[in-house]
Amino acid sequence: MTKEPILSAKDVEIQFSLRGRVLSAIRKCSLDLYQGETLAIVGESGSGKSVFTKSFLGMLDANGKITGGSIMYDGIDLAKYTTEKEWMQIRGKKISMVMQDPMTSLNPLKKVGQQIQESIELNQGIKGPEAKKLALEMLAKVGIPDPERRYNQYPHEFSGGMRQRVVIAIAVACHPDILICDEPTTALDVTIQAQILNLIRELQQELKMTVVYITHDLGVVANVADRVAVMYAGQIVEFGTVEEIFYDAWHPYTWALLSSLPQLGLKGEALPTIEGTPPNLFNEIKGDAFAPRNKQALAIDFEEEPPYFEITPTHKAKTWYLDPRSPKIEQPKSIRQLRAKMEERG
Amino acid sequence: MVKYTIKRLLQTLVTVLIVATIVFLLMRMLPTDYFFTEDQLMKLTPEQKQEQLEAAGLTDPVGEQLIRFYGQILRFDFGESRRIQSGVDVVKVIGSKFTVSMRLGCTALVISLFVGVFIDIIQTINKDKLLDHIGTGYTIFVNAVPSLVSYSLVLVFGSTVLGLPSLYSTRNPGPSSILPVVCLSLASIAHYALWTRRYMVDELNKDYIKLARVKGMSFNSIMVKHVFKNAFVPLVQYIPTSFLYTIGGSLLVERFFSVPGMGPLLNDAIIRYDVNVVQTLAIIYGTMGTVGVFLGDVLMMLLDPRIKLVGKGETR
């Protein structure tokens, strides 16, 4: 891991206008990505994981826009990009993305080979047979047997896992620096999931990519990630290495997430859940966004937004618990026992 | 795929045969007076009438008549018109009107396809902007206002402002066709614009468009390489049907501009009990409908690779 980040998002704010109202989906969110690392962003639905990463390649929906902060990549501030033309310099070539549902991510009326070739022709300035050769190589690289025959088939002739391989082939065809995987295995069979994750890992090593996983599957996180960022209500509330997040978390939301891991459940007992609902992002949020759902919330949590407290150079959490003035709060027992339990279950 | 096509073709033929049979049987329920012209009805004695009916085989059992009718269809012999043009072969009666209707209809179809799809592309590109709203406004106007009102508007505008002939004339078919063609196109332009826009917007919202954007394609090449073909596929299914129906002529437009086309013919034939003409027209319209659907499906199958697989099975 080099010290210089490859991409650095700082205080990013993203707002959506919905029927005349303004929704603040991302509220001053900062994140550094380093060359070759794997970062997982976790959080419940609506926490802004997808929106945040989509803004790195200008894929926000038409009614959303970046209203503050900066996204520095290669000396350029992507947050200042407004036209599709500017974004086309980034998409595919520099930053690429794999979406959740392979069943709908491919054009049903176009041969899969052509869909890969299109990407190559577009971004590498190669045309015709040469591009086709590269497309065939790409098919082979993502583990599709008999690429010559498969090149001429249509998406409906592929299974879900195979389609996701094709989608990945399209996304990495032009050797991007950063690959964002938005829940790449959610729509797939459990047995296929591991294969796809392995494939992404292999490609990452071969092409020296930085990979960002967006997921709510903590099992996936433990398997693939170097670092984890936990998002809640449009902010990153805690980030650190996998070890630090799993075994030494400090934000109460991270605790709540980890305690609801199904692996920790006891037979016959209901699995712990996080009570309440995330805050309404149409309203202004005061203090710590998680406070209303946190049984051990401090008085200050409702008043003032906590800053980041550094636990180690790689681990920071945005909670008043870490302020020296706050009362002594211990990590919940289940969190302290997590390591033992995880090891026990392998 | 060939197997599927042949199967569908046979089904189409069976459908046409059933239509012919039903029409024939219904016609046999009419009193046999239709066999005579108005003149003959007055002058002939009942015995003479009976004699002529027997000679024409109309007193035979229905089954026998039906089989004879099938034979005639196979020989493309549809009998003679009795009342509209007494003693003239039905094929000839229909044929002359057919060419007029077909010429107008085809022109209108081509115009409406191109103009409709063009309007739609402009609408889709400018979705939710002024041009889109104008297009939608047009569609709503054409659909909401009774056709006669919009035809009248075209007529008034065309004849007074542009000085175009307001009635069709066989001596001057070119200029006098303009207004009927415009009227015929009005509704179908709206139809194509509405549906193509819908399909294009549908396609634009699909995930594969997002992936195409992620890989760095520009909006324009996404439109050309992905959206257009995909949106066109569901539309293609209806083109043969609408093509065939234009041949059938439009009752309203043809009446309105006194075009000697097929449209008013069926109406006249029914009112005047010209059984052979009615029968033949019913078979023609039935054939056009079923063949249109058949061709539409075949076209779809050629354009959409997913449908070939379905064709092999029994579903469809």
Side-chain angles (χ1 to χ4, degrees), chain B residues 231-264:
Chain B
F232 208 59
V233 167
L235 203 70
V236 141
Q237 200 183 5
Y238 303 107
I239 291 178
T241 318
S242 47
F243 169 71
L244 290 170
Y245 276 126
T246 57
I247 297 172
S250 150
L251 180 68
L252 215 50
V253 171
E254 289 182 353
R255 271 269 149 85
F256 198 74
F257 293 98
S258 324
V259 180
M262 293 251 288

PDB file of all heavy atoms in Angstrom, chain B residues 231-264:
ATOM      1  N   ALA B 231     -35.704  -0.939 -29.085  1.00  0.00           N
ATOM      2  CA  ALA B 231     -37.032  -0.349 -28.979  1.00  0.00           C
ATOM      3  C   ALA B 231     -37.856  -0.684 -30.218  1.00  0.00           C
ATOM      4  O   ALA B 231     -39.070  -0.726 -30.180  1.00  0.00           O
ATOM      5  CB  ALA B 231     -36.914   1.165 -28.813  1.00  0.00           C
ATOM      6  N   PHE B 232     -37.159  -0.927 -31.311  1.00  0.00           N
ATOM      7  CA  PHE B 232     -37.856  -1.158 -32.561  1.00  0.00           C
ATOM      8  C   PHE B 232     -38.468  -2.558 -32.618  1.00  0.00           C
ATOM      9  O   PHE B 232     -39.472  -2.773 -33.269  1.00  0.00           O
ATOM     10  CB  PHE B 232     -36.880  -0.963 -33.725  1.00  0.00           C
ATOM     11  CG  PHE B 232     -37.557  -0.521 -34.977  1.00  0.00           C
ATOM     12  CD1 PHE B 232     -38.276   0.650 -34.995  1.00  0.00           C
ATOM     13  CD2 PHE B 232     -37.488  -1.287 -36.121  1.00  0.00           C
ATOM     14  CE1 PHE B 232     -38.913   1.061 -36.134  1.00  0.00           C
ATOM     15  CE2 PHE B 232     -38.128  -0.891 -37.276  1.00  0.00           C
ATOM     16  CZ  PHE B 232     -38.840   0.287 -37.283  1.00  0.00           C
ATOM     17  N   VAL B 233     -37.855  -3.484 -31.915  1.00  0.00           N
ATOM     18  CA  VAL B 233     -38.319  -4.869 -31.978  1.00  0.00           C
ATOM     19  C   VAL B 233     -39.794  -5.034 -31.601  1.00  0.00           C
ATOM     20  O   VAL B 233     -40.558  -5.625 -32.356  1.00  0.00           O
ATOM     21  CB  VAL B 233     -37.410  -5.789 -31.143  1.00  0.00           C
ATOM     22  CG1 VAL B 233     -38.036  -7.141 -30.939  1.00  0.00           C
ATOM     23  CG2 VAL B 233     -36.072  -5.942 -31.829  1.00  0.00           C
ATOM     24  N   PRO B 234     -40.220  -4.484 -30.447  1.00  0.00           N
ATOM     25  CA  PRO B 234     -41.641  -4.682 -30.133  1.00  0.00           C
ATOM     26  C   PRO B 234     -42.555  -3.981 -31.140  1.00  0.00           C
ATOM     27  O   PRO B 234     -43.689  -4.401 -31.360  1.00  0.00           O
ATOM     28  CB  PRO B 234     -41.793  -4.087 -28.732  1.00  0.00           C
ATOM     29  CG  PRO B 234     -40.563  -3.332 -28.459  1.00  0.00           C
ATOM     30  CD  PRO B 234     -39.502  -3.824 -29.367  1.00  0.00           C
ATOM     31  N   LEU B 235     -42.036  -2.926 -31.757  1.00  0.00           N
ATOM     32  CA  LEU B 235     -42.859  -2.168 -32.699  1.00  0.00           C
ATOM     33  C   LEU B 235     -43.026  -2.907 -34.022  1.00  0.00           C
ATOM     34  O   LEU B 235     -44.079  -2.876 -34.655  1.00  0.00           O
ATOM     35  CB  LEU B 235     -42.179  -0.820 -32.952  1.00  0.00           C
ATOM     36  CG  LEU B 235     -43.082   0.288 -33.441  1.00  0.00           C
ATOM     37  CD1 LEU B 235     -44.002   0.700 -32.309  1.00  0.00           C
ATOM     38  CD2 LEU B 235     -42.247   1.461 -33.891  1.00  0.00           C
ATOM     39  N   VAL B 236     -41.952  -3.588 -34.412  1.00  0.00           N
ATOM     40  CA  VAL B 236     -41.901  -4.274 -35.695  1.00  0.00           C
ATOM     41  C   VAL B 236     -43.046  -5.267 -35.850  1.00  0.00           C
ATOM     42  O   VAL B 236     -43.594  -5.454 -36.924  1.00  0.00           O
ATOM     43  CB  VAL B 236     -40.535  -4.987 -35.809  1.00  0.00           C
ATOM     44  CG1 VAL B 236     -40.662  -6.327 -36.467  1.00  0.00           C
ATOM     45  CG2 VAL B 236     -39.574  -4.113 -36.568  1.00  0.00           C
ATOM     46  N   GLN B 237     -43.456  -5.820 -34.736  1.00  0.00           N
ATOM     47  CA  GLN B 237     -44.507  -6.812 -34.762  1.00  0.00           C
ATOM     48  C   GLN B 237     -45.801  -6.274 -35.391  1.00  0.00           C
ATOM     49  O   GLN B 237     -46.557  -7.001 -35.998  1.00  0.00           O
ATOM     50  CB  GLN B 237     -44.783  -7.260 -33.332  1.00  0.00           C
ATOM     51  CG  GLN B 237     -45.488  -8.573 -33.253  1.00  0.00           C
ATOM     52  CD  GLN B 237     -45.799  -8.937 -31.830  1.00  0.00           C
ATOM     53  OE1 GLN B 237     -45.579  -8.166 -30.902  1.00  0.00           O
ATOM     54  NE2 GLN B 237     -46.308 -10.132 -31.642  1.00  0.00           N
ATOM     55  N   TYR B 238     -46.023  -4.973 -35.211  1.00  0.00           N
ATOM     56  CA  TYR B 238     -47.298  -4.428 -35.665  1.00  0.00           C
ATOM     57  C   TYR B 238     -47.256  -3.883 -37.087  1.00  0.00           C
ATOM     58  O   TYR B 238     -48.278  -3.539 -37.644  1.00  0.00           O
ATOM     59  CB  TYR B 238     -47.759  -3.327 -34.707  1.00  0.00           C
ATOM     60  CG  TYR B 238     -47.873  -3.837 -33.312  1.00  0.00           C
ATOM     61  CD1 TYR B 238     -46.957  -3.485 -32.337  1.00  0.00           C
ATOM     62  CD2 TYR B 238     -48.884  -4.740 -32.977  1.00  0.00           C
ATOM     63  CE1 TYR B 238     -47.049  -3.994 -31.050  1.00  0.00           C
ATOM     64  CE2 TYR B 238     -48.982  -5.257 -31.699  1.00  0.00           C
ATOM     65  CZ  TYR B 238     -48.057  -4.883 -30.744  1.00  0.00           C
ATOM     66  OH  TYR B 238     -48.144  -5.392 -29.493  1.00  0.00           O
ATOM     67  N   ILE B 239     -46.036  -3.793 -37.647  1.00  0.00           N
ATOM     68  CA  ILE B 239     -45.941  -3.151 -38.951  1.00  0.00           C
ATOM     69  C   ILE B 239     -46.684  -3.913 -40.055  1.00  0.00           C
ATOM     70  O   ILE B 239     -47.474  -3.309 -40.781  1.00  0.00           O
ATOM     71  CB  ILE B 239     -44.474  -2.884 -39.323  1.00  0.00           C
ATOM     72  CG1 ILE B 239     -43.951  -1.793 -38.389  1.00  0.00           C
ATOM     73  CG2 ILE B 239     -44.330  -2.451 -40.772  1.00  0.00           C
ATOM     74  CD1 ILE B 239     -42.512  -1.451 -38.583  1.00  0.00           C
ATOM     75  N   PRO B 240     -46.498  -5.231 -40.173  1.00  0.00           N
ATOM     76  CA  PRO B 240     -47.225  -5.923 -41.241  1.00  0.00           C
ATOM     77  C   PRO B 240     -48.731  -5.773 -41.096  1.00  0.00           C
ATOM     78  O   PRO B 240     -49.437  -5.535 -42.082  1.00  0.00           O
ATOM     79  CB  PRO B 240     -46.821  -7.385 -41.060  1.00  0.00           C
ATOM     80  CG  PRO B 240     -45.563  -7.359 -40.313  1.00  0.00           C
ATOM     81  CD  PRO B 240     -45.621  -6.158 -39.437  1.00  0.00           C
ATOM     82  N   THR B 241     -49.230  -5.864 -39.877  1.00  0.00           N
ATOM     83  CA  THR B 241     -50.665  -5.730 -39.676  1.00  0.00           C
ATOM     84  C   THR B 241     -51.129  -4.358 -40.137  1.00  0.00           C
ATOM     85  O   THR B 241     -52.102  -4.247 -40.887  1.00  0.00           O
ATOM     86  CB  THR B 241     -51.017  -5.913 -38.193  1.00  0.00           C
ATOM     87  OG1 THR B 241     -50.258  -7.003 -37.693  1.00  0.00           O
ATOM     88  CG2 THR B 241     -52.484  -6.187 -38.017  1.00  0.00           C
ATOM     89  N   SER B 242     -50.409  -3.326 -39.724  1.00  0.00           N
ATOM     90  CA  SER B 242     -50.901  -2.006 -40.109  1.00  0.00           C
ATOM     91  C   SER B 242     -50.723  -1.794 -41.605  1.00  0.00           C
ATOM     92  O   SER B 242     -51.538  -1.134 -42.234  1.00  0.00           O
ATOM     93  CB  SER B 242     -50.228  -0.891 -39.300  1.00  0.00           C
ATOM     94  OG  SER B 242     -48.848  -1.070 -39.263  1.00  0.00           O
ATOM     95  N   PHE B 243     -49.692  -2.407 -42.161  1.00  0.00           N
ATOM     96  CA  PHE B 243     -49.526  -2.316 -43.612  1.00  0.00           C
ATOM     97  C   PHE B 243     -50.733  -2.929 -44.314  1.00  0.00           C
ATOM     98  O   PHE B 243     -51.336  -2.337 -45.194  1.00  0.00           O
ATOM     99  CB  PHE B 243     -48.252  -3.041 -44.036  1.00  0.00           C
ATOM    100  CG  PHE B 243     -48.122  -3.230 -45.514  1.00  0.00           C
ATOM    101  CD1 PHE B 243     -47.855  -2.144 -46.338  1.00  0.00           C
ATOM    102  CD2 PHE B 243     -48.298  -4.475 -46.089  1.00  0.00           C
ATOM    103  CE1 PHE B 243     -47.749  -2.312 -47.703  1.00  0.00           C
ATOM    104  CE2 PHE B 243     -48.196  -4.648 -47.449  1.00  0.00           C
ATOM    105  CZ  PHE B 243     -47.924  -3.570 -48.262  1.00  0.00           C
ATOM    106  N   LEU B 244     -51.106  -4.116 -43.878  1.00  0.00           N
ATOM    107  CA  LEU B 244     -52.222  -4.795 -44.536  1.00  0.00           C
ATOM    108  C   LEU B 244     -53.525  -4.043 -44.344  1.00  0.00           C
ATOM    109  O   LEU B 244     -54.353  -3.975 -45.234  1.00  0.00           O
ATOM    110  CB  LEU B 244     -52.329  -6.223 -44.021  1.00  0.00           C
ATOM    111  CG  LEU B 244     -51.176  -7.096 -44.510  1.00  0.00           C
ATOM    112  CD1 LEU B 244     -51.164  -8.428 -43.793  1.00  0.00           C
ATOM    113  CD2 LEU B 244     -51.283  -7.315 -46.008  1.00  0.00           C
ATOM    114  N   TYR B 245     -53.668  -3.445 -43.168  1.00  0.00           N
ATOM    115  CA  TYR B 245     -54.915  -2.734 -42.952  1.00  0.00           C
ATOM    116  C   TYR B 245     -55.009  -1.481 -43.824  1.00  0.00           C
ATOM    117  O   TYR B 245     -56.095  -1.081 -44.201  1.00  0.00           O
ATOM    118  CB  TYR B 245     -55.099  -2.394 -41.472  1.00  0.00           C
ATOM    119  CG  TYR B 245     -55.688  -3.561 -40.723  1.00  0.00           C
ATOM    120  CD1 TYR B 245     -55.096  -4.085 -39.592  1.00  0.00           C
ATOM    121  CD2 TYR B 245     -56.861  -4.158 -41.190  1.00  0.00           C
ATOM    122  CE1 TYR B 245     -55.634  -5.177 -38.934  1.00  0.00           C
ATOM    123  CE2 TYR B 245     -57.413  -5.257 -40.545  1.00  0.00           C
ATOM    124  CZ  TYR B 245     -56.796  -5.761 -39.410  1.00  0.00           C
ATOM    125  OH  TYR B 245     -57.333  -6.836 -38.780  1.00  0.00           O
ATOM    126  N   THR B 246     -53.861  -0.893 -44.153  1.00  0.00           N
ATOM    127  CA  THR B 246     -53.952   0.283 -45.019  1.00  0.00           C
ATOM    128  C   THR B 246     -54.490  -0.115 -46.383  1.00  0.00           C
ATOM    129  O   THR B 246     -55.180   0.659 -47.025  1.00  0.00           O
ATOM    130  CB  THR B 246     -52.580   0.957 -45.226  1.00  0.00           C
ATOM    131  OG1 THR B 246     -51.701  -0.005 -45.769  1.00  0.00           O
ATOM    132  CG2 THR B 246     -52.031   1.523 -43.950  1.00  0.00           C
ATOM    133  N   ILE B 247     -54.190  -1.339 -46.820  1.00  0.00           N
ATOM    134  CA  ILE B 247     -54.728  -1.802 -48.095  1.00  0.00           C
ATOM    135  C   ILE B 247     -56.248  -1.853 -48.014  1.00  0.00           C
ATOM    136  O   ILE B 247     -56.957  -1.546 -48.953  1.00  0.00           O
ATOM    137  CB  ILE B 247     -54.181  -3.200 -48.437  1.00  0.00           C
ATOM    138  CG1 ILE B 247     -52.683  -3.124 -48.600  1.00  0.00           C
ATOM    139  CG2 ILE B 247     -54.835  -3.726 -49.698  1.00  0.00           C
ATOM    140  CD1 ILE B 247     -52.046  -4.470 -48.742  1.00  0.00           C
ATOM    141  N   GLY B 248     -56.721  -2.224 -46.848  1.00  0.00           N
ATOM    142  CA  GLY B 248     -58.167  -2.317 -46.645  1.00  0.00           C
ATOM    143  C   GLY B 248     -58.846  -0.969 -46.785  1.00  0.00           C
ATOM    144  O   GLY B 248     -60.063  -0.894 -46.913  1.00  0.00           O
ATOM    145  N   GLY B 249     -58.076   0.088 -46.750  1.00  0.00           N
ATOM    146  CA  GLY B 249     -58.675   1.403 -46.909  1.00  0.00           C
ATOM    147  C   GLY B 249     -59.348   1.853 -45.642  1.00  0.00           C
ATOM    148  O   GLY B 249     -59.629   1.076 -44.743  1.00  0.00           O
ATOM    149  N   SER B 250     -59.603   3.140 -45.585  1.00  0.00           N
ATOM    150  CA  SER B 250     -60.245   3.665 -44.405  1.00  0.00           C
ATOM    151  C   SER B 250     -61.616   4.159 -44.793  1.00  0.00           C
ATOM    152  O   SER B 250     -61.782   4.980 -45.685  1.00  0.00           O
ATOM    153  CB  SER B 250     -59.417   4.805 -43.833  1.00  0.00           C
ATOM    154  OG  SER B 250     -60.262   5.713 -43.184  1.00  0.00           O
ATOM    155  N   LEU B 251     -62.594   3.634 -44.127  1.00  0.00           N
ATOM    156  CA  LEU B 251     -63.978   3.995 -44.413  1.00  0.00           C
ATOM    157  C   LEU B 251     -64.150   5.510 -44.348  1.00  0.00           C
ATOM    158  O   LEU B 251     -64.657   6.149 -45.264  1.00  0.00           O
ATOM    159  CB  LEU B 251     -64.864   3.301 -43.378  1.00  0.00           C
ATOM    160  CG  LEU B 251     -66.349   3.567 -43.514  1.00  0.00           C
ATOM    161  CD1 LEU B 251     -66.865   2.928 -44.790  1.00  0.00           C
ATOM    162  CD2 LEU B 251     -67.110   3.034 -42.323  1.00  0.00           C
ATOM    163  N   LEU B 252     -63.656   6.062 -43.223  1.00  0.00           N
ATOM    164  CA  LEU B 252     -63.920   7.464 -42.954  1.00  0.00           C
ATOM    165  C   LEU B 252     -63.199   8.384 -43.945  1.00  0.00           C
ATOM    166  O   LEU B 252     -63.815   9.248 -44.573  1.00  0.00           O
ATOM    167  CB  LEU B 252     -63.453   7.762 -41.530  1.00  0.00           C
ATOM    168  CG  LEU B 252     -64.284   8.759 -40.757  1.00  0.00           C
ATOM    169  CD1 LEU B 252     -65.755   8.385 -40.832  1.00  0.00           C
ATOM    170  CD2 LEU B 252     -63.822   8.785 -39.325  1.00  0.00           C
ATOM    171  N   VAL B 253     -61.897   8.165 -44.086  1.00  0.00           N
ATOM    172  CA  VAL B 253     -61.122   9.057 -44.952  1.00  0.00           C
ATOM    173  C   VAL B 253     -61.601   8.946 -46.391  1.00  0.00           C
ATOM    174  O   VAL B 253     -61.778   9.948 -47.089  1.00  0.00           O
ATOM    175  CB  VAL B 253     -59.618   8.737 -44.847  1.00  0.00           C
ATOM    176  CG1 VAL B 253     -58.824   9.503 -45.895  1.00  0.00           C
ATOM    177  CG2 VAL B 253     -59.113   9.066 -43.470  1.00  0.00           C
ATOM    178  N   GLU B 254     -61.872   7.721 -46.828  1.00  0.00           N
ATOM    179  CA  GLU B 254     -62.257   7.550 -48.225  1.00  0.00           C
ATOM    180  C   GLU B 254     -63.622   8.163 -48.510  1.00  0.00           C
ATOM    181  O   GLU B 254     -63.848   8.769 -49.557  1.00  0.00           O
ATOM    182  CB  GLU B 254     -62.173   6.068 -48.609  1.00  0.00           C
ATOM    183  CG  GLU B 254     -60.699   5.625 -48.679  1.00  0.00           C
ATOM    184  CD  GLU B 254     -60.488   4.195 -49.094  1.00  0.00           C
ATOM    185  OE1 GLU B 254     -61.482   3.459 -49.212  1.00  0.00           O
ATOM    186  OE2 GLU B 254     -59.312   3.818 -49.288  1.00  0.00           O
ATOM    187  N   ARG B 255     -64.517   8.026 -47.549  1.00  0.00           N
ATOM    188  CA  ARG B 255     -65.814   8.697 -47.707  1.00  0.00           C
ATOM    189  C   ARG B 255     -65.643  10.205 -47.748  1.00  0.00           C
ATOM    190  O   ARG B 255     -66.196  10.902 -48.577  1.00  0.00           O
ATOM    191  CB  ARG B 255     -66.728   8.355 -46.519  1.00  0.00           C
ATOM    192  CG  ARG B 255     -67.563   7.124 -46.712  1.00  0.00           C
ATOM    193  CD  ARG B 255     -68.928   7.473 -47.322  1.00  0.00           C
ATOM    194  NE  ARG B 255     -69.430   6.382 -48.151  1.00  0.00           N
ATOM    195  CZ  ARG B 255     -70.118   5.342 -47.666  1.00  0.00           C
ATOM    196  NH1 ARG B 255     -70.374   5.253 -46.382  1.00  0.00           N
ATOM    197  NH2 ARG B 255     -70.534   4.406 -48.475  1.00  0.00           N
ATOM    198  N   PHE B 256     -64.816  10.688 -46.789  1.00  0.00           N
ATOM    199  CA  PHE B 256     -64.649  12.126 -46.585  1.00  0.00           C
ATOM    200  C   PHE B 256     -64.132  12.805 -47.845  1.00  0.00           C
ATOM    201  O   PHE B 256     -64.557  13.901 -48.199  1.00  0.00           O
ATOM    202  CB  PHE B 256     -63.677  12.338 -45.425  1.00  0.00           C
ATOM    203  CG  PHE B 256     -63.734  13.704 -44.817  1.00  0.00           C
ATOM    204  CD1 PHE B 256     -64.803  14.076 -44.011  1.00  0.00           C
ATOM    205  CD2 PHE B 256     -62.716  14.617 -45.026  1.00  0.00           C
ATOM    206  CE1 PHE B 256     -64.853  15.330 -43.444  1.00  0.00           C
ATOM    207  CE2 PHE B 256     -62.766  15.877 -44.461  1.00  0.00           C
ATOM    208  CZ  PHE B 256     -63.838  16.232 -43.665  1.00  0.00           C
ATOM    209  N   PHE B 257     -63.206  12.138 -48.549  1.00  0.00           N
ATOM    210  CA  PHE B 257     -62.611  12.753 -49.735  1.00  0.00           C
ATOM    211  C   PHE B 257     -63.121  12.120 -51.029  1.00  0.00           C
ATOM    212  O   PHE B 257     -62.521  12.290 -52.074  1.00  0.00           O
ATOM    213  CB  PHE B 257     -61.083  12.647 -49.676  1.00  0.00           C
ATOM    214  CG  PHE B 257     -60.476  13.467 -48.581  1.00  0.00           C
ATOM    215  CD1 PHE B 257     -60.136  12.903 -47.376  1.00  0.00           C
ATOM    216  CD2 PHE B 257     -60.267  14.832 -48.763  1.00  0.00           C
ATOM    217  CE1 PHE B 257     -59.580  13.659 -46.361  1.00  0.00           C
ATOM    218  CE2 PHE B 257     -59.714  15.597 -47.753  1.00  0.00           C
ATOM    219  CZ  PHE B 257     -59.374  15.018 -46.554  1.00  0.00           C
ATOM    220  N   SER B 258     -64.221  11.357 -50.925  1.00  0.00           N
ATOM    221  CA  SER B 258     -64.784  10.625 -52.078  1.00  0.00           C
ATOM    222  C   SER B 258     -63.724   9.827 -52.823  1.00  0.00           C
ATOM    223  O   SER B 258     -63.638   9.901 -54.041  1.00  0.00           O
ATOM    224  CB  SER B 258     -65.451  11.534 -53.098  1.00  0.00           C
ATOM    225  OG  SER B 258     -66.086  12.579 -52.514  1.00  0.00           O
ATOM    226  N   VAL B 259     -62.901   9.107 -52.096  1.00  0.00           N
ATOM    227  CA  VAL B 259     -61.922   8.251 -52.753  1.00  0.00           C
ATOM    228  C   VAL B 259     -62.599   6.942 -53.117  1.00  0.00           C
ATOM    229  O   VAL B 259     -63.261   6.338 -52.276  1.00  0.00           O
ATOM    230  CB  VAL B 259     -60.729   7.959 -51.809  1.00  0.00           C
ATOM    231  CG1 VAL B 259     -59.710   7.071 -52.496  1.00  0.00           C
ATOM    232  CG2 VAL B 259     -60.096   9.240 -51.332  1.00  0.00           C
ATOM    233  N   PRO B 260     -62.507   6.505 -54.376  1.00  0.00           N
ATOM    234  CA  PRO B 260     -63.157   5.246 -54.755  1.00  0.00           C
ATOM    235  C   PRO B 260     -62.332   4.048 -54.275  1.00  0.00           C
ATOM    236  O   PRO B 260     -61.801   3.290 -55.073  1.00  0.00           O
ATOM    237  CB  PRO B 260     -63.192   5.328 -56.278  1.00  0.00           C
ATOM    238  CG  PRO B 260     -62.035   6.183 -56.636  1.00  0.00           C
ATOM    239  CD  PRO B 260     -61.830   7.139 -55.518  1.00  0.00           C
ATOM    240  N   GLY B 261     -62.220   3.874 -52.965  1.00  0.00           N
ATOM    241  CA  GLY B 261     -61.377   2.808 -52.414  1.00  0.00           C
ATOM    242  C   GLY B 261     -62.189   1.689 -51.791  1.00  0.00           C
ATOM    243  O   GLY B 261     -63.413   1.625 -51.933  1.00  0.00           O
ATOM    244  N   MET B 262     -61.482   0.820 -51.111  1.00  0.00           N
ATOM    245  CA  MET B 262     -62.109  -0.362 -50.523  1.00  0.00           C
ATOM    246  C   MET B 262     -62.967  -0.027 -49.310  1.00  0.00           C
ATOM    247  O   MET B 262     -63.890  -0.755 -48.966  1.00  0.00           O
ATOM    248  CB  MET B 262     -61.016  -1.332 -50.064  1.00  0.00           C
ATOM    249  CG  MET B 262     -60.218  -1.932 -51.170  1.00  0.00           C
ATOM    250  SD  MET B 262     -60.631  -3.648 -51.359  1.00  0.00           S
ATOM    251  CE  MET B 262     -59.857  -4.348 -49.910  1.00  0.00           C
ATOM    252  N   GLY B 263     -62.590   1.017 -48.619  1.00  0.00           N
ATOM    253  CA  GLY B 263     -63.254   1.345 -47.363  1.00  0.00           C
ATOM    254  C   GLY B 263     -64.766   1.329 -47.444  1.00  0.00           C
ATOM    255  O   GLY B 263     -65.420   0.550 -46.740  1.00  0.00           O
ATOM    256  N   PRO B 264     -65.345   2.168 -48.308  1.00  0.00           N
ATOM    257  CA  PRO B 264     -66.810   2.223 -48.353  1.00  0.00           C
ATOM    258  C   PRO B 264     -67.446   0.998 -49.013  1.00  0.00           C
ATOM    259  O   PRO B 264     -68.648   0.798 -48.902  1.00  0.00           O
ATOM    260  CB  PRO B 264     -67.087   3.473 -49.203  1.00  0.00           C
ATOM    261  CG  PRO B 264     -65.798   4.221 -49.240  1.00  0.00           C
ATOM    262  CD  PRO B 264     -64.734   3.194 -49.133  1.00  0.00           C
TER     263      PRO B 264
END
